[in-house]
Amino acid sequence: MVAIQGTEGSFHYQAAQDYFGRGIDILECRSFDAVVKALLAGQAQTGVMAIENSIAGAILPNYALIDRNNLYIAGEYYMNIQHHLMALPGQSLSDIKEVHSHYMALLQCKDFFENYPHIRLVETTNTAQAAKEIHEQQLKGVAAIASTSASELYHLPILAESIQTIKRNATRFVVLSTTDNHLPKEEIDKATLKFQVYDKSGSLATVLNVLRDHDINMTKIQSLPVIETPWKYAFFVDVGFEHYAQFEQAMQLLEIMTEELKVLGKFTSGNR
């Protein structure tokens, strides 16, 4: 069972199917917190959660969720997000009076609707839910912005394809579990770390130098405040490497050189 935020036809649903295959069982959750609760309760064995977007950047609360609940990143998947406009059969753009979707999808497609001033944009909980409601309630004059999966599931023909303003729009999803996936070392070439440095000059630079000296490529760094300690920050870092032994050696050094070090996941990198 795979827990996702959203309903069938959402981008999380599509990511889960792409990663695991179409025969998987999906547990729909109303929020990212609900995904975590499902994993901790054993209702699902794995979860799929968006962690960053090429336009909007990192989804900071999700980093905190993964860390606070001691979840393990077992894999990642990059998806090219394409927003399509869809409605009930037999309609054209001139028939559409309202478009329903998640606020982020509406924002990313705002420029498209400048040529259609008669259309009102309405926020909903997620993209697939908007498509589902149009199908179930047979709402004419209403369109949704959603994925190809939503179009197929809810039998809504696409009126306009890829209407997002920035055509190269990718989201990175992480695959979560409550335990280490114990991949063979030769299959591991990426990891996500969390660390805190000592409050002294050059502490962060020292950590980065250790990564450099072991030929480890830092692909992302993100800071988050440590809630319990004002003005203290933790760093979340993605690193890539060719040789697992170099990664192990670097971690042994960082255990000594950081105030706290936590490996959130070791996995095979996804294709961007």
Side-chain angles (χ1 to χ4, degrees), residues 40-150:
L40 296 178
Q43 296 172 319
Q45 288 68 54
T46 55
V48 172
M49 179 183 289
I51 199 72
E52 63 178 308
N53 177 265
S54 59
I55 297 172
I59 305 174
L60 298 181
N62 287 358
Y63 278 97
L65 271 177
I66 293 167
D67 176 40
R68 187 169 62 247
N69 293 282
N70 294 313
L71 295 178
Y72 192 85
I73 298 174
E76 66 177 4
Y77 180 69
Y78 290 88
M79 177 187 287
N80 183 21
I81 301 296
Q82 298 294 310
H83 291 304
H84 306 308
L85 189 68
M86 58 195 69
L88 290 174
Q91 298 182 100
S92 65
L93 264 171
S94 60
D95 300 314
I96 303 303
K97 302 296 185 292
E98 290 185 358
V99 170
H100 297 186
S101 197
H102 187 268
Y103 81 93
M104 186 59 72
L106 294 174
L107 181 65
Q108 292 178 358
C109 300
K110 185 176 67 173
D111 289 358
F112 175 85
F113 294 102
E114 289 184 358
N115 296 322
Y116 304 95
H118 67 283
I119 294 178
R120 188 166 73 98
L121 305 182
V122 180
E123 292 184 13
T124 57
T125 54
N126 65 65
T127 56
Q129 186 63 34
K132 184 178 182 180
E133 288 176 357
I134 290 172
H135 169 69
E136 291 181 343
Q137 300 175 30
Q138 290 294 291
L139 299 176
K140 291 191 174 181
V142 180
I145 300 172
S147 68
T148 303
S149 294

